Amino acid sequence: MRILIVEDHPDILANLYGFLEPRGHQLDSARNGYGGLALASEHDYDVIVLDVMLPGLNGLELCHKLRTELGKPTPVLMLTARDSLSDKVAGFDSGADDYLVKPFSLVELEVRLKALVRRAASAHALHATLRFGELRYDPGMQEASRAGVPVQLTRTGYTLLRCLLAAAPRIVSRETLEQAVWGDDRPDSDALRTHIHALRQALDKPFATPMLQTVAGVGYRLVQPEPDPRPSERDAPR
């Protein structure tokens, strides 16, 4: 798991690193709420461990901002010394997914984190609508659109779009896309290039700026369309 830990107590932070890192998890950490918010906005994590009592921006406020302002669905497990029902309700109301009272078992913490990640992965795979910039793809309905305009694709096109959207704006290698479409039975010919061409025609041809970008020798990625530099009729000199 890639885990973000937002905790200001140095001993607790050291214990979490000492237990979780040797078990293969990748950790980032922040010692205050604003630092945690910055990391969560810049990177994608599998799960976030969030202390309630933080300097600057407390855990409840941070979690609320993650959900409402950043739209981050990342599972959040809150740590707190408070164990009253009202404290737990406040944590869940802010958008937390689980709650662990200090002092806690590190073994139990890891078990809970793994359960949160499994649950989130299942929900995402089954229900999540993927969005990036003007692009939207609903895998359940097999419907895609750009700037509200429907985009019609083949079954292979939808598979490629889903892989690219899930990673956007990161690069997706040719090997990853081929695996997603054909599994281990990959064609000998350069069939992927043909399907990418068809996807580009559907996504980019009707619009002024392209979103599907080829990264030579590596793969493909989606990018945010750049504004049209041409002046509009309203801005044109009279």
Side-chain angles (χ1 to χ4, degrees):
M1 295 180 291
R2 188 176 185 191
I3 306 169
L4 171 61
I5 302 171
V6 190
E7 168 64 64
D8 67 325
H9 196 292
D11 291 341
I12 294 177
L13 192 59
N15 287 339
L16 290 171
Y17 266 84
F19 181 79
L20 293 170
E21 271 197 330
R23 301 173 78 83
H25 306 301
Q26 299 177 5
L27 308 182
D28 283 342
S29 63
R31 298 283 294 273
N32 60 68
Y34 288 110
L37 185 64
L39 285 172
S41 66
E42 294 170 5
H43 307 285
D44 291 324
Y45 296 97
D46 295 315
V47 67
I48 297 172
V49 178
L50 178 59
D51 187 23
V52 171
M53 301 300 293
L54 292 168
L57 186 73
N58 70 42
L60 300 177
E61 295 168 332
L62 195 163
C63 191
H64 182 72
K65 285 180 178 293
L66 286 176
R67 302 302 191 221
T68 60
E69 296 182 14
L70 299 181
K72 289 277 188 177
T74 312
V76 172
L77 183 146
M78 281 197 167
L79 301 176
T80 183
R82 301 175 177 178
D83 60 355
S84 70
L85 178 59
S86 61
D87 291 321
K88 293 180 180 180
V89 169
F92 289 123
D93 283 347
S94 71
D97 300 276
D98 202 356
Y99 203 96
L100 200 54
V101 177
K102 301 175 182 178
F104 54 87
S105 160
L106 291 169
V107 173
E108 181 182 0
L109 172 74
E110 185 187 31
V111 168
R112 286 176 180 250
L113 294 180
K114 287 181 176 178
L116 288 175
V117 171
R118 285 197 303 269
R119 191 186 313 158
S122 274
H124 180 79
L126 292 175
H127 307 295
T129 295
L130 301 175
R131 295 180 176 87
F132 178 70
E134 299 175 346
L135 283 177
R136 178 183 180 277
Y137 172 52
D138 183 339
M141 299 297 293
Q142 202 79 323
E143 293 177 348
S145 63
R146 177 174 173 182
V149 179
V151 175
Q152 301 297 327
L153 301 172
T154 64
R155 183 176 64 177
T156 298
Y158 284 121
T159 300
L160 294 173
L161 179 61
R162 180 171 186 162
C163 291
L164 291 163
L165 276 172
R170 299 187 302 275
I171 299 169
V172 183
S173 69
R174 293 176 54 85
E175 292 76 14
T176 298
L177 292 174
E178 289 174 346
Q179 179 70 31
V181 174
W182 294 289
D184 294 328
D185 189 22
R186 302 179 192 177
D188 295 331
S189 63
D190 195 7
L192 178 63
R193 186 183 302 239
T194 301
H195 288 291
I196 287 290
H197 174 75
L199 179 61
R200 179 174 280 118
Q201 291 290 104
L203 289 184
D204 291 340
K205 188 174 181 181
F207 299 90
T209 54
M211 292 187 68
L212 181 53
Q213 182 181 85
T214 300
V215 182
V218 182
Y220 306 89
R221 67 176 177 178
L222 293 170
V223 296
Q224 294 278 16
E226 297 180 0
D228 190 346
R230 295 171 297 180
S232 65
E233 292 183 5
R234 184 181 60 185
D235 298 329
R238 300 182 183 276

